[in-house]
Structures are given as C-alpha cells and as structure tokens.
Amino acid sequence: MTVCPIHVDQRPIGTGERVAGDVAAAGSQGPVRGARSERRARESARGARSSLLFIPTKPRAEPAMAYHQGYGGQGSKHRGRGPLVPPAPDPHQLFDDTSAGFPHAQGTPASGIDMGFNTLLADPMANVAVAYGSSIASQSKDIVHKEIHRFMSVNRLKYFFAVDTAYVTKKLALLLFPYAHQNWEVRYSRDTPLTPRQDINAPDLYIPSMAFITYILLAGIALGLQQRFSPEVLGMCASTAFVWVIIEVLALLLSLYLVTVQSDLTPFDLLAYSGYKYVGMILAVLGGLLFGSDGYYVALAWTSCALMYFLARSLRMKLHPSLVPDGMGHPRGGGRGQTYVTLGAAACQPLIVYWLTFHLVR
C-alpha cells in the first residue's frame, strides 16, 4: 500500500463552525475552562487536518521517469523529485572514484579474455600440443608404476612373509648349524620359486625383521644394565644397524653389475640375506651379558663362521657366470666374478657384526 499526499480544495464541512463555537464558548466561560476548551478544540482541528491530508489510496499511473539504482530508484520507497545531482567531491579525497565507469560486475570475466581462450581452443596446433602432452604424461605414469611394482610389488613382498612356525624353527637351526645341510638349491614350480614355508632354502624377510626388533630391545636392556641407556643412544643404535644393511645391499648390487654376473637375486633377496646377521648379533650380545667378554667372543666367532658358510653356499646357487663372450671367445668373467662376490659378501659379515655389538658388552 502506498501513502500519497492528496491536495484538498474544499474545507471540511462543519469544522470551522465547530472550532469557532468552541472558542466562543471558552471565552464566555472562565479563563481556566476557556483555556481547556481552546486546547481541546485545537487538538480536534489538528486531528481533522491529519486525517484529510494523508489518506491511503491506490497508486496512480505516472509517466515513466529515469531513476537511479540507489536512492529513489525503481524498487525503492523514495521517488526522485528532480534530476539527480552528483555529490560534491570531497576536498580531502586523493583519488576519484571511477568504479561506476566499468560496465562489468565484479566476478564477470571480460569479453576479451573469453575471446582469447576460445581462440586458443579453436587453434588446431594447440589441440595437437595438448593431446601430445597428455599422451606423454600417461606414458610416463605407466613407466613409473611399472618400476614401482618391479621393486616394491605387494605380491612380491607377500612372498617373503609366507612362513610358518616349522619353517622359522628349521631356518634358525640352519643359520646356526649350516654345516650338515646338503641341498642348497631353491626349488621352483612352473618357473616360480616356492614360498619359504615350502622350501627351507628360500629367503624370507620375517626372520630378519623380527631379529632386528629383538636386537634393538636387547641393546636397550644391555645399555640399561650398564647405566648408559637413553632414547637418543637407542635410536642411534637402531639407525646405524639399518643403515649398514642398506649399504651392504647397495654394495652387492654394484658388485654384481661391475663383474657382469647374472643372477636371480632381487633387492628383497639381498635384503633377506643381509638381515640374517641379526640372529648372530643377538646371540653374541646374549653371550656377553650372560658370560662376560669371553662369552661374547665365543658366540661371535661361532655365529660369524656359521653365517659366512651359509651365505657362501646360498649365494653360490643364485649367481651364474655371464654367458656373453669376450674378444677371445671365452665367457666374460667366467667363474671368478661369482667367487669374488660370494667371498666378499661372506667376509664382511663378521666385521659388521662386531662393529654393531662390541659397544653393548663391557
């Protein structure tokens, strides 16, 4: 509902006569009653004028006018009564407000940007370049996934943990008493090696991982008995043992590459064979804690000899001489490279075991 002012040409009937009569009556009656009557008559006249001046009526049709979007514009309660006058500039304002000169609203891209983007998409050379880049990215992704699955395949990793209690017992006995074992060949089924639970000669990662954890716990006990335990020392002991195994695996891979020896060994196989030394390290630390330094050296000598014999026989079955002939027609490297790698890997075991355990026994 719109409230519009209405101009009235005629005076309401009876209003002036009633007001004049009230004033005359007030004059005839006393000054007090006359004042009250005069005030009452004035209020009545004011109410009559208010009711006549503002009457809610239906809006009339008016000619179209140009409105500003702000005050007095369309949809606003205030209507402009004349041409809009721009506000006077602020004398203290440093820059003029030019935001009203831009035709586009905030967040709406300009037409030039749309035309440039559409032109880029419509260019056939750009489409060819985008398609070529996508194909290269997909090929690189496939190559990366293939290499990751080659070295870190989950199915391949499950193979090294397919063990049972019988296998663990027999493998620990083989690591400590390998001299009576005769057959060191790894058995295959349809060009696939049997799992460790089916073949005692197959390498596994369960015993090395459990032996590593046991070695760390035993090192903490040994340091605690000597009043030298601290989290920093225990962490340094664990990181040193792990780093030495990684260095040994990398050295074996480099040796196999340099002497051109063909083998069926994978990085997981080398990690398993290098991790078997933790069993000897546990026995050496236990001998030192129970029987002092003499027990430590006796256990160290026994486990080192057993580990060397085990690695020499196991790696010999995995390494094969290169079949690529040299300039004289003989196989390149022959059996000497196989022997050097096997003896070098076996000879390093006692040194690493002693380096990682001698500081735990005093």
Side-chain angles (χ1 to χ4, degrees), residues 181-218:
H181 192 66
Q182 298 298 328
N183 186 12
W184 292 88
E185 293 183 359
V186 178
R187 294 182 295 174
Y188 286 82
S189 175
R190 297 179 180 180
D191 297 336
T192 303
L194 296 178
T195 59
R197 69 164 62 96
Q198 298 171 345
D199 185 12
I200 192 175
N201 295 324
D204 71 286
L205 288 175
Y206 176 80
I207 293 178
S209 59
M210 294 296 104
F212 176 78
I213 296 175
T214 306
Y215 162 73
I216 299 302
L217 296 177
L218 189 61

Side-chain angles (χ1 to χ4, degrees), residues 69-328:
Q69 295 183 359
Y71 181 87
Q74 293 182 358
S76 176
K77 295 182 180 180
H78 305 280
R79 186 176 61 182
R81 300 182 179 274
L84 296 176
V85 180
D90 189 1
H92 300 285
Q93 185 176 358
L94 298 179
F95 302 99
D96 295 335
D97 187 6
T98 59
S99 59
F102 291 95
H104 300 282
Q106 185 176 2
T108 305
S111 60
I113 299 177
D114 294 339
M115 294 176 61
F117 188 70
N118 294 331
T119 304
L120 179 62
L121 292 181
D123 190 2
M125 295 300 296
N127 295 333
V128 172
V130 171
Y132 183 69
S134 301
S135 62
I136 292 178
S138 61
Q139 292 177 3
S140 303
K141 182 179 180 181
D142 295 339
I143 293 174
V144 170
H145 281 293
K146 184 184 296 184
E147 294 297 327
I148 290 176
H149 286 294
R150 177 184 175 187
F151 293 99
M152 296 295 294
S153 178
V154 177
N155 295 329
R156 184 63 178 170
L157 192 60
K158 289 181 180 179
Y159 165 82
F160 290 94
F161 286 92
V163 300
D164 54 6
T165 305
Y167 167 80
V168 173
T169 304
K170 294 179 181 179
K171 196 59 173 279
L172 290 176
L174 181 61
L175 290 173
L176 298 178
F177 305 96
Y179 310 106
H181 192 66
Q182 298 298 328
N183 186 12
W184 292 88
E185 293 183 359
V186 178
R187 294 182 295 174
Y188 286 82
S189 175
R190 297 179 180 180
D191 297 336
T192 303
L194 296 178
T195 59
R197 69 164 62 96
Q198 298 171 345
D199 185 12
I200 192 175
N201 295 324
D204 71 286
L205 288 175
Y206 176 80
I207 293 178
S209 59
M210 294 296 104
F212 176 78
I213 296 175
T214 306
Y215 162 73
I216 299 302
L217 296 177
L218 189 61
I221 294 175
L223 294 174
L225 293 176
Q226 301 173 18
Q227 305 297 327
R228 295 188 296 119
F229 175 81
S230 66
E232 293 79 9
V233 175
L234 188 62
M236 183 64 66
C237 182
S239 60
T240 303
F242 183 75
V243 168
W244 270 108
V245 172
I246 299 300
I247 293 176
E248 184 179 356
V249 171
L250 295 178
L252 286 174
L253 289 175
L254 181 61
S255 301
L256 294 176
Y257 176 76
L258 293 178
V259 299
T260 64
V261 174
Q262 294 183 354
S263 65
D264 300 331
L265 294 173
T266 63
F268 286 141
D269 295 329
L270 296 178
L271 184 61
Y273 286 122
S274 301
Y276 286 136
K277 69 169 62 67
Y278 293 125
V279 178
M281 293 165 60
I282 291 172
L283 292 179
V285 175
L286 282 177
L289 292 178
L290 296 177
F291 304 102
S293 59
D294 296 337
Y296 167 73
Y297 286 110
V298 171
L300 177 64
W302 178 267
T303 56
S304 298
C305 293
L307 184 59
M308 291 173 61
Y309 186 83
F310 171 82
L311 284 181
R313 297 300 300 269
S314 299
L315 293 178
R316 184 180 179 183
M317 295 299 172
K318 288 282 188 177
L319 301 180
H320 309 287
S322 177
L323 300 179
V324 180
D326 55 7
M328 302 299 295

